[in-house]
Amino acid sequence: MKKILMSSVVVASLFAQTTNASLEEQLKELKVKLAQVEQMATKNQKKVNPIAANNHLFWSYDLRTTYDSISEKVSSGSTYKLSKNSDGSVKFSGLNKSSNTYKNKIFTNRVILTGVAKPSDNLKATVRIEANNIFGMQSETQYSPYTNISWVANETPDDTTIRIKEAFFNYHFGKDNGFMFSAGRRPAVGGYPSNLREGDSPSSPLSHLINMEFDGFSFEISNTVFGDISETLSDFGTWMKFCAGRGYSSSKGKWPADGSAPYSKDGFDDSDFAGFILVPYDDGQYSLWTETVWAWNMKGYNFVSNQDAANAQQGKDFNASMQDLGNYFGFNAVLKIDGIGDEINDFLDDTKAFVSYAMSTTRPFSGKQMLASMDNKTGTSIWIGADMPAGEDGRFGVSFVKGSKYWRNMTYGEDTLIGSIAAVRGKAYDIYYNKEIVSHLTAGVRYTYIDYDYSGSDAFFGLGGNPEQQVFVESASDLRAYIRYNF
């Protein structure tokens, strides 16, 4: 309003001048005074913005309604039925199962509310809450005790309970704010390249290796803080980030039922992880991203005794319990292309393509089994794909994934209802089309087909991760359609 009033005064004053002043001189003076007004308004706005930001939490709203038609073909053979023993272990009872195909049609509703506060240029806090429910579902915990584990609670549809998805801050400091420290429930789902099929911006980790939620810390170093070599690193677009977190805390809570001390250890060790993201080259069009991960005290079901192991070999009933089994190492390298060639045509300029290679190694403790083996086992996976323009405001994408017998990434929050394509031990094919209908409203359709060569793709690190089980899902498909409002 001040700007409008001042502009009116300037114009009025010019017309009040003597009539013999030339029009050209009047216009010159008008431009000078308007520039002064604009400068004053800009200074005032810069003073007001931080004040407003200091006192506000800005919210965004993301609502997605999805329909999935899923189908799973299960092989026949000898398998086991689980039941619980009185001591907390489980009993595996042998049975024969015939081949069968399971089908279902599922509607889900996912709502995400994101709040962002930025009280200063170098400090930002984010909170994201989510409810992700199957239409009419009350709770799945009566069928699965793992539904609400914090790694997967937001990514696997269940009831309408609102849960914390992310809650963290980013603090930049040092030379040119080149260092960044963050703590809290970090964004660890929907990293590159899985974000492409969802039409979202990528989160921090590379999703081929990690696609599950964690509580932890991160420390990022940009290319502006390395003194004399900063200019060279800036040309290369080099940066790096260190991450650490905890996937399981050994604690019985405030009032243990067994009468032990509050927050005493529960008989397991803490499950911790550390990661290192290094981007050696990124010019905005072509880039190479790498991610290295270590994890300790991974858990899963293992034989209670040597006799149980012998019984399993003979096809007899055996007992097993959840145990600390060993450690884990993983590596991922992704070549990202954001625009193919140099202005060959509009289609290639707007095409994103990638090639991702990942490997994992399990390292069992002495006398323990990981993935049903006492030996170190290494697995590999390759994921290739492209995301392309398709008409006005549309995107079309394809991808292919192939994983080996002992490949094992860090995901339980599956990226499709039939299982994670990133975790597949076998082959996965994915094709999708997303389109903006009007501003803030999008719709899309996706078809995923998975051809499993081995079992245990989405299991824990113990007996369930055995790739040689006779009964497992041989193939699965998911036809998904959605409509989404995001503002």
Side-chain angles (χ1 to χ4, degrees):
M1 181 61 72
K2 288 183 178 180
K3 181 177 177 180
I4 295 174
L5 292 174
M6 294 182 71
S7 299
S8 301
V9 171
V10 172
V11 175
S13 66
L14 287 175
F15 280 102
Q17 292 181 12
T18 57
T19 56
N20 61 353
S22 67
L23 179 61
E24 183 177 354
E25 290 175 346
Q26 293 179 46
L27 290 174
K28 285 182 179 179
E29 188 174 350
L30 177 62
K31 289 179 180 180
V32 171
K33 292 189 176 183
L34 286 176
Q36 293 172 348
V37 171
E38 183 71 28
Q39 187 176 12
M40 291 175 61
T42 300
K43 288 181 179 180
N44 289 334
Q45 190 65 39
K46 287 182 178 179
K47 293 178 180 179
V48 170
N49 281 343
I51 297 173
N54 277 331
N55 295 281
H56 289 83
L57 182 66
F58 297 93
W59 287 96
S60 66
Y61 172 64
D62 183 351
L63 171 65
R64 188 187 71 192
T65 300
T66 306
Y67 166 79
D68 285 87
S69 176
I70 64 174
S71 175
E72 297 180 338
K73 181 182 178 182
V74 180
S75 61
S76 59
S78 298
T79 186
Y80 288 91
K81 178 182 178 181
L82 273 70
S83 57
K84 272 215 165 179
N85 297 319
S86 58
D87 62 358
S89 63
V90 295
K91 182 178 181 180
F92 287 76
S93 301
L95 57 90
N96 291 319
K97 198 167 187 177
S98 59
S99 176
N100 206 346
T101 299
Y102 301 93
K103 296 182 178 182
N104 205 354
K105 295 176 175 59
I106 300 172
F107 281 98
T108 58
N109 215 38
R110 186 200 70 177
V111 59
I112 299 175
L113 299 178
T114 303
V116 177
K118 193 172 183 181
S120 62
D121 290 339
N122 63 334
L123 178 62
K124 183 177 76 170
T126 302
V127 61
R128 183 166 287 143
I129 58 177
E130 176 179 343
N132 190 3
N133 75 287
I134 299 174
F135 279 24
M137 193 73 176
Q138 299 304 308
S139 178
E140 196 181 337
T141 54
Q142 58 182 313
Y143 303 113
S144 171
Y146 309 114
T147 298
N148 293 324
I149 290 177
S150 63
W151 321 320
V152 304
N154 292 293
E155 306 310 312
T156 52
D158 185 22
D159 56 26
T160 56
T161 302
I162 295 175
R163 301 177 176 89
I164 296 294
K165 181 177 178 66
E166 297 170 12
F168 66 97
F169 69 86
N170 290 342
Y171 173 59
H172 295 265
F173 61 97
K175 181 182 178 183
D176 299 323
N177 282 332
F179 297 105
M180 188 277 290
F181 175 75
S182 179
R185 190 161 179 79
R186 295 278 307 153
V189 174
Y192 193 88
S194 66
N195 68 294
L196 296 175
R197 61 210 290 257
E198 301 296 334
D200 293 330
S201 300
S203 62
S204 179
L206 298 172
S207 60
H208 198 172
L209 192 61
I210 296 179
N211 197 41
M212 59 189 295
E213 296 173 340
F214 271 109
D215 302 305
F217 311 88
S218 68
F219 179 68
E220 183 176 317
I221 305 174
S222 73
N223 49 41
T224 64
V225 299
F226 292 102
D228 294 338
I229 65 172
S230 291
E231 185 174 344
T232 300
L233 294 177
S234 180
D235 291 339
F236 288 163
T238 305
W239 62 274
M240 63 189 70
K241 179 187 287 187
F242 300 89
C243 306
R246 173 155 292 177
Y248 181 85
S249 290
S250 178
S251 173
K252 295 181 181 180
K254 174 64 176 174
W255 293 285
D258 60 4
S260 55
Y263 303 110
S264 56
K265 291 179 69 66
D266 60 8
F268 295 104
D269 290 324
D270 297 328
S271 294
D272 296 325
F273 80 95
F276 175 58
I277 297 174
L278 172 64
V279 179
Y281 183 83
D282 187 346
D283 64 9
Q285 182 178 9
Y286 300 100
S287 61
L288 176 65
W289 287 48
T290 68
E291 183 174 73
T292 306
V293 173
W294 297 266
W296 296 272
N297 301 313
M298 308 309 294
K299 294 171 175 54
Y301 281 110
N302 193 29
F303 301 116
V304 173
S305 66
N306 291 334
Q307 185 59 52
D308 289 307
N311 289 344
Q313 288 286 338
Q314 299 169 22
K316 298 179 180 179
D317 295 358
F318 64 90
N319 296 315
S321 61
M322 189 68 74
Q323 302 172 23
D324 295 313
L325 300 180
N327 301 330
Y328 171 92
F329 172 80
F331 174 77
N332 187 195
V334 182
L335 174 63
K336 302 169 57 177
I337 303 173
D338 191 356
I340 298 175
D342 185 11
E343 298 183 352
I344 298 173
N345 56 50
D346 291 342
F347 177 82
L348 292 178
D349 286 346
D350 198 19
T351 293
K352 307 176 191 294
F354 63 89
V355 177
S356 177
Y357 169 82
M359 61 84 66
S360 64
T361 299
T362 51
R363 298 172 176 173
F365 296 145
S366 177
K368 302 286 187 177
Q369 292 191 3
M370 295 183 74
L371 310 183
S373 174
M374 292 185 180
D375 300 323
N376 293 358
K377 292 295 183 181
T378 297
T380 59
S381 177
I382 187 167
W383 187 356
I384 59 176
D387 179 85
M388 301 157 281
E392 186 176 356
D393 299 322
R395 304 293 299 182
F396 170 76
V398 294
S399 64
F400 169 76
V401 187
K402 181 175 175 57
S404 70
K405 183 176 182 178
Y406 286 101
W407 160 242
R408 180 62 169 79
N409 64 350
M410 302 286 279
T411 179
Y412 297 104
E414 314 300 6
D415 46 66
T416 74
L417 295 191
I418 56 173
S420 170
I421 64 172
V424 65
R425 293 171 174 175
K427 298 170 284 293
Y429 308 84
D430 197 58
I431 182 170
Y432 63 86
Y433 173 70
N434 299 326
K435 179 175 174 58
E436 183 181 84
I437 302 172
V438 295
S439 182
H440 306 296
L441 186 66
T442 58
V445 61
R446 183 179 76 199
Y447 179 74
T448 304
Y449 179 78
I450 301 178
D451 182 13
Y452 291 100
D453 294 332
Y454 305 97
S455 61
S457 293
D458 305 312
F460 287 115
F461 283 88
L463 299 174
N466 181 0
E468 297 181 343
Q469 297 172 75
Q470 291 185 34
V471 176
F472 65 101
V473 178
E474 292 183 333
S475 61
S477 65
D478 181 1
L479 177 62
R480 188 189 84 153
Y482 78 91
I483 189 164
R484 179 181 183 185
Y485 176 83
N486 194 350
F487 182 78

